[in-house]
Amino acid sequence: MSTQRRALVVGLGIAGMASAIGLRQAGWQVTVIERAAQRRLGGYFIGLFGTGLSAARRLGVMDAVHMRTPKSTKTWAVTRAGDRSRTNGFLDQPGEPQGVLRGDVEAALFEHLGDVEVRYATVPTSIVDVDGGALVTTRHAATGDERCEKFDLVVGADGVRSTVRRLVFGPHERYVKPLHAMICAFQLESQVPYFPAEHGLVLAEPRRSLWVFPFEDCPPTALFSYRTRDIDAQFQGPVREVLRRTYGPEPLGEILGHVLEQFDRAEHWLFDSVSQVHMPSWRSGRTVLVGDAAWCMTLYSGMGASVGLAGGSLLGRLVARHGEDLETALRTWEARLMPFARQHQRAALFKSQVFTPSGPVMHFLLKGLNRLGAKRSKDNEPTALEQWFVRPMNVDFAD
Ligand SMILES: Cc1cc2nc3c(=O)[nH]c(=O)nc-3n(C[C@H](O)[C@H](O)[C@H](O)COP(=O)(O)OP(=O)(O)OC[C@H]3O[C@@H](n4cnc5c(N)ncnc54)[C@H](O)[C@@H]3O)c2cc1C
């Protein structure tokens, strides 16, 4: 009889695939189930920091990640009236973050799944701890077929609205904290007129902003980010109307007009509310949560993908190191990651102001700060304050 231990990973995103590869490296037999009928592609701009890059190296996928950082880039603070001034962009942060599409990271991970079995259109419906394992019932979306299997470990990597979390830990409302903000991200067909393709743009106003993130070899992605107390109302009616209402009634101007016009023709986008996930523990019996399901920090932190990679990679290494003692492996894993995740969740609240100022005073202060920051060119040595600020983004979870 085989003594190889079996893991079920729920979710074929960055955290799920990183966990699958990590556990496979530890010698486990891994099955991934994914709700969607097929693997998703493309996505939006992601900045990968040192934490994510070193995890990608450990997972053996680094060379396969298509990096798209523009060789020479500038970012412009712009207004609806068409004024522009130099500012610091996302990739100007010290620590040399790399610009990628989310799909670039997912494609690299997928390529390295090896003998991991992937079952699409499949969701968990029940997870129960039994003697020496977890009994999981899954259902196929198309056929309705149910299957019940025993696993040594269940990894819930099914995102911010995690089903695994609901089944094992309790209702979403207990853990999901809304930030009263909405985002809409999509890939432009072409750059905003009069700006080179490798340049970024930031149009920030009180409570609403537009960011254009450039790449080296594909059109930029745009991100609308705005604050609202009425999240439900944002999901009523077509997104294009919601965005035009939110960014009106003032005349749009050329830049907003161009991006909204391209949105009207876009086939794929992500439109969602922004929430963090706060939990006292990410593990219960034979189940552990990883990635946004466990610690969603939001896009404002700029660290979700990086920590998803690090979390999956560290899980595999600790499970390998502690052998039969799964309880110690999971406890050590959580103790290593939780302070880090909490730190970035707090930082995200501050950074959300940089993305989208919460009011006129913040908007005014940030404009001043940006002017000061823009004086430093990317080639200058980062200041001590900048180094202190980005250090947590480059932590290497070696073991
Ligand atoms: C606009 C935007 C910009 C961002 N920018 C950055 C950045 O610059 N840097 C950074 O590090 N991070 C960034 N992030 C965050 C980062 O994208 C996420 O943290 C990361 O992708 C989350 O990965 P995940 O695998 O935890 O979850 P997800 O990507 O949500 O994946 C979950 C997977 O589980 C599947 N699933 C869901 N429910 C079920 C179910 N019941 N059964 C089976 N499968 C299920 C889903 O279909 C999906 O495939 C950004 C996010 C956004 C939205």
Side-chain angles (χ1 to χ4, degrees):
M1 247 179 66
S2 163
T3 55
Q4 195 180 24
R5 288 189 293 172
R6 295 185 70 210
L8 177 73
V9 176
V10 183
L12 192 70
I14 292 175
M17 287 194 271
S19 304
I21 296 173
L23 289 166
R24 190 174 149 268
Q25 286 174 337
W28 285 50
Q29 185 193 331
V30 185
T31 300
V32 179
I33 58 171
E34 164 59 44
R35 181 177 54 190
Q38 57 196 22
R39 194 171 79 73
R40 64 186 173 186
L41 306 168
Y44 40 76
F45 169 93
I46 277 186
L48 276 186
F49 285 84
T51 295
L53 296 171
S54 48
R57 249 174 240 116
R58 288 213 167 72
L59 291 166
V61 306
M62 181 69 176
D63 290 344
V65 182
H66 185 135
M67 301 295 180
R68 298 179 195 264
T69 313
K71 285 191 191 72
S72 139
T73 183
K74 287 181 183 154
T75 301
W76 299 97
V78 296
T79 66
R80 295 177 188 240
D83 303 326
R84 59 165 90 175
S85 56
R86 281 292 303 280
T87 188
N88 280 320
F90 194 91
L91 296 177
D92 294 325
Q93 299 179 67
E96 300 191 13
Q98 295 293 319
V100 294
L101 285 165
R102 188 197 60 208
D104 296 329
V105 184
E106 292 185 345
L109 290 163
F110 189 75
E111 219 178 89
H112 286 78
L113 283 179
D115 60 5
V116 168
E117 182 198 1
V118 181
R119 299 180 198 157
Y120 291 99
T122 306
V123 297
T125 55
S126 135
I127 302 171
V128 182
D129 271 357
V130 291
D131 195 23
L135 207 55
V136 184
T137 309
T138 58
R139 190 175 53 226
H140 192 273
T143 61
D145 286 352
E146 294 215 328
R147 193 164 168 169
C148 190
E149 285 163 281
K150 191 171 163 187
F151 293 92
D152 297 284
L153 179 66
V154 178
V155 179
D158 47 348
V160 68
R161 294 180 184 85
S162 166
T163 301
V164 175
R165 190 181 62 227
R166 180 173 55 74
L167 291 173
V168 177
F169 297 83
H172 296 322
E173 300 71 43
R174 200 179 289 165
Y175 306 111
V176 177
K177 310 286 173 219
L179 295 198
H180 308 293
M182 296 290 300
I183 52 134
C184 179
F186 75 105
Q187 189 146 28
L188 293 172
E189 270 171 24
S190 61
Q191 173 63 299
V192 174
Y194 314 119
F195 288 88
E198 68 279 10
H199 285 195
L201 281 74
V202 185
L203 192 157
E205 297 177 344
R207 301 185 65 77
R208 57 192 180 181
S209 63
L210 163 71
W211 287 67
V212 174
F213 296 104
F215 294 108
E216 177 65 23
D217 55 3
C218 68
T221 61
L223 172 74
F224 291 102
S225 163
Y226 62 93
R227 295 178 185 266
T228 172
R229 284 266 150 199
D230 192 353
I231 294 293
D232 290 344
Q234 311 310 309
F235 293 101
Q236 283 154 25
V239 181
R240 64 173 68 94
E241 281 170 23
V242 173
L243 289 178
R244 281 179 191 271
R245 199 167 57 231
T246 305
Y247 285 78
E250 300 89 333
L252 293 173
E254 205 164 354
I255 295 170
L256 264 175
H258 172 85
V259 176
L260 280 170
E261 222 170 74
Q262 296 221 343
F263 181 73
D264 291 346
R265 293 198 298 273
E267 285 176 18
H268 306 283
W269 63 81
L270 172 81
F271 179 67
D272 206 354
S273 55
V274 184
S275 303
Q276 291 190 332
V277 174
H278 291 256
M279 301 184 73
S281 174
W282 303 323
R283 60 202 172 88
S284 170
R286 295 283 179 149
T287 301
V288 66
L289 298 175
V290 181
D292 280 6
W295 54 65
C296 182
M297 300 158 177
T298 73
L299 75 156
Y300 301 132
S301 79
M303 286 297 285
S306 286
V307 187
L309 287 165
S313 163
L314 187 65
L315 179 67
R317 288 201 316 287
L318 288 175
V319 157
R321 187 200 297 163
H322 292 282
E324 291 299 306
D325 190 357
L326 190 59
E327 162 66 22
T328 302
L330 298 184
R331 188 163 21 85
T332 312
W333 175 83
E334 185 178 82
R336 289 288 318 280
L337 279 177
M338 199 170 259
F340 185 75
R342 293 225 162 109
Q343 179 181 17
H344 283 290
Q345 286 186 319
R346 284 192 297 273
L349 300 181
F350 166 74
K351 290 181 187 176
S352 73
Q353 296 288 350
V354 177
F355 268 91
T356 312
S358 58
V361 175
M362 230 356 136
H363 182 228
F364 177 78
L365 287 175
L366 284 161
K367 269 207 299 202
L369 264 181
N370 258 335
R371 258 185 226 120
L372 283 178
K375 290 204 171 125
R376 184 185 74 75
S377 111
K378 199 176 178 208
D379 302 326
N380 292 147
E381 278 298 300
T383 62
L385 182 66
E386 284 171 324
Q387 275 175 358
W388 173 81
F389 195 67
V390 295
R391 196 175 300 145
M393 301 172 96
N394 294 317
V395 171
D396 180 0
F397 287 93
D399 257 320

